[in-house]
């Protein structure tokens, strides 16, 4: 009976509790300011949080819009890649990655008089792709391109030869050996009126010497229109090399001429920044060879623009990139 009584008691109590739970909340009395302030404060906080959320969403949408626009718009700070430049970029990233290995390029004796191996580093390729200052290796490979694709193809080897930019740029370290190298190149190519194209880097700037060893004329092409007298050391070395060559081939020269080598500054297109000198020197060599003339008058580039256009330099870069791709060394 006690058990039944407890059950009944609890059963009776349950609805009472249920009624209490379902009772509507007590309404605040009229004039109860503390509760009204709390309600107002809660509403204000809700509005602030809503405003913050709206601003955050708007900012995210704005940033998303900026990101899409940035992806769609070209980045003016990045140089334009041509067809072959883009292909070379893909090849480098795909096959070289983070590797520090350098592709090997065999340089034949016919090009610079010596057979040697050129190591083409990834940074040197990106110097060209990103339009930075050119290394001596990039210059040398473009000369190899000119030699194979223009000089040999058009049978102009009796008119043009090249002096190694590596050796020309090292003359300060070993002037005697560089002088002997130049004399040997002259003696190995005795054809009359032949031009020896010699890119030279003074340490921060590329210029071009075009030397006719038989006529003893040296043409000076400088992308900033400097004067050859700014390079007294290499001028003296080249003068000496020509005199030694003259003596070894037994040439007879008048006494008035014997101590004077003819130097001519050529009015050529002028670079407009501090990095294009290497590209200009490549363009000078390309135009000299393609014009198929061994005499360079001061007005040789009279029909050219005062400066090379972006397209003029892009043509060189595309030729270089296509040539490297065709070698399949990467």
């Amino acid at each position: 009976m006690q058990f039944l009584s407890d059950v009944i008691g609890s059963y009776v109590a349950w609805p009472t509790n249920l009624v209490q739970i379902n009772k509507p909340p007590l309404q605040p009395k009229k004039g109860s300011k503390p509760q009204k302030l709390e309600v107002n404060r809660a509403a204000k906080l809700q509005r602030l949080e809503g405003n913050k959320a709206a601003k955050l969403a708007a900012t995210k949408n704005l940033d998303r819009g900026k990101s899409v626009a940035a992806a769609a718009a070209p980045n003016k700070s990045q140089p334009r890649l041509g067809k072959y430049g883009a292909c070379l970029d893909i090849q480098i990233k795909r096959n070289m990655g983070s590797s520090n290995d350098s592709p090997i390029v065999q340089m034949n004796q016919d090009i610079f008089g010596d057979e040697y191996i050129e190591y083409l580093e990834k940074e040197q390729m990106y110097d060209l792709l990103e339009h930075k200052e050119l290394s001596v290796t990039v210059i040398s490979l473009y000369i190899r391109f000119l030699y194979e694709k223009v000089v040999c193809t058009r049978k102009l080897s009796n008119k043009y030869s090249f002096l190694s930019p590596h050796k020309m740029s090292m003359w300060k370290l070993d002037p005697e050996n560089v002088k002997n190298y130049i004399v040997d190149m002259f003696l190995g190519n005795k054809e009359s009126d032949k031009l020896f194209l010699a890119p030279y880097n003074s340490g921060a700037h590329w210029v071009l010497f075009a030397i006719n060893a038989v006529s003893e004329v040296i043409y000076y092409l400088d992308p900033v229109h400097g004067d050859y007298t700014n390079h007294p050391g290499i001028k003296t070395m080249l003068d000496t090399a020509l005199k030694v060559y003259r003596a070894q081939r037994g040439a007879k020269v008048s006494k008035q001429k014997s101590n004077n080598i003819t130097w001519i500054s050529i009015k050529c297109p002028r670079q407009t920044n501090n990095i294009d000198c290497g590209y200009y020197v490549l363009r000078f060599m390309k135009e000299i060879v393609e014009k198929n003339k061994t005499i360079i008058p001061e007005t040789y580039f009279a029909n050219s623009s005062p400066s090379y256009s972006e397209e003029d330099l892009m043509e060189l870069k595309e030729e270089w990139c296509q040539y490297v791709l065709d070698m399949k060394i990467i």
Side-chain angles (χ1 to χ4, degrees):
M1 292 297 291
Q2 182 64 37
F3 171 76
L4 181 60
S5 176
D6 291 339
V7 171
I8 294 172
S10 62
Y11 180 79
V12 172
W14 179 75
T16 304
N17 292 339
L18 180 61
V19 171
Q20 289 177 351
I21 291 174
N22 290 331
K23 282 183 179 180
L26 294 174
Q27 298 295 325
K29 295 181 179 180
K30 293 184 178 180
S32 179
K33 293 184 179 179
Q35 288 191 7
K36 186 175 182 180
L37 288 174
E38 289 298 326
V39 171
N40 290 339
R41 186 180 295 112
K44 186 176 182 180
L45 287 175
Q46 186 176 6
R47 287 196 302 272
L48 289 174
E49 291 299 324
N51 290 339
K52 287 181 181 180
K55 288 181 180 180
L56 181 60
T59 302
K60 287 183 177 179
N61 289 333
L62 179 61
D63 290 341
R64 189 179 298 111
K66 287 181 178 179
S67 299
V68 172
N75 188 346
K76 294 183 179 180
S77 65
Q78 292 295 326
R80 177 169 62 92
L81 291 180
K83 171 184 175 182
Y84 294 104
C87 290
L88 181 60
D89 180 38
I90 293 172
Q91 285 290 92
I92 294 171
K93 291 175 179 176
R94 177 185 299 166
N95 298 330
M96 296 185 71
S98 59
S99 173
N100 293 322
D101 294 338
S102 300
I104 294 174
V105 181
Q106 186 70 37
M107 304 295 284
N108 297 328
Q109 184 177 359
D110 293 342
I111 304 172
F112 295 126
D114 289 326
E115 185 174 340
Y116 72 98
I117 290 176
E118 197 82 63
Y119 293 92
L120 181 58
E121 297 178 1
K122 181 165 47 176
E123 291 77 11
Q124 295 169 336
M125 290 184 275
Y126 275 113
D127 285 343
L128 180 131
L129 292 176
E130 297 173 0
H131 203 83
K132 298 179 181 178
E133 295 179 14
L134 295 182
S135 68
V136 65
T137 297
V138 171
I139 298 283
S140 296
L141 288 186
Y142 189 78
I143 291 176
R144 176 178 161 165
F145 161 76
L146 283 179
Y147 178 77
E148 292 183 357
K149 303 300 182 180
V150 183
V151 173
C152 292
T153 301
R154 301 183 186 181
K155 299 181 179 180
L156 302 176
S157 57
N158 64 324
K159 290 188 175 182
Y160 302 103
S161 282
F162 300 91
L163 298 182
S164 168
H166 283 285
K167 293 190 176 181
M168 290 295 296
S169 300
M170 289 177 57
W171 80 269
K172 291 181 181 179
L173 300 176
D174 199 350
E176 189 65 22
N177 279 340
V178 174
K179 182 198 71 177
N180 292 336
Y181 161 73
I182 294 172
V183 171
D184 289 342
M185 287 292 290
F186 291 162
L187 289 171
N189 298 268
K190 294 182 179 180
E191 294 85 355
S192 179
D193 291 329
K194 186 171 191 176
L195 278 182
F196 292 84
L197 303 180
Y200 165 67
N201 192 307
S202 61
H205 180 60
W206 284 100
V207 299
L208 178 67
F209 300 113
I211 308 165
N212 188 318
V214 173
S215 300
E216 297 186 356
V217 175
I218 300 177
Y219 302 100
Y220 177 74
L221 294 86
D222 189 340
V224 296
H225 292 189
D227 193 81
Y228 58 82
T229 57
N230 294 330
H231 309 283
I234 195 168
K235 178 185 181 301
T236 299
M237 191 267 293
L238 289 173
D239 287 344
T240 302
L242 283 175
K243 292 174 183 178
V244 172
Y245 170 65
R246 177 202 302 164
Q248 293 197 15
R249 70 188 180 92
K252 295 181 180 180
V253 179
S254 65
K255 292 182 180 179
Q256 185 179 2
K257 167 77 174 176
S258 61
N259 293 321
N260 296 315
I261 307 298
T262 303
W263 283 75
I264 302 175
S265 292
I266 303 300
K267 297 177 182 178
C268 48
R270 184 171 186 171
Q271 69 186 85
T272 57
N273 55 37
N274 295 326
I275 62 174
D276 277 352
C277 55
Y279 302 93
Y280 272 58
V281 165
L282 297 185
R283 187 82 196 185
F284 294 160
M285 290 191 291
K286 174 184 173 67
E287 294 188 10
I288 289 171
V289 171
E290 288 184 340
K291 287 183 179 181
N292 192 15
K293 296 180 180 179
T294 57
I295 296 176
I296 306 178
E298 291 186 38
T299 57
Y300 192 73
F301 295 91
N303 296 326
S304 300
S305 299
S307 298
Y308 287 128
S309 67
E310 180 183 350
E311 292 304 318
D312 291 330
L313 303 186
M314 176 61 75
E315 181 182 343
L316 300 173
K317 294 161 70 172
E318 283 286 85
E319 288 173 339
W320 192 93
C321 292
Q322 182 181 8
Y323 186 61
V324 171
L325 287 168
D326 289 344
M327 285 193 286
K328 298 181 179 180
I329 58 175
I330 299 174

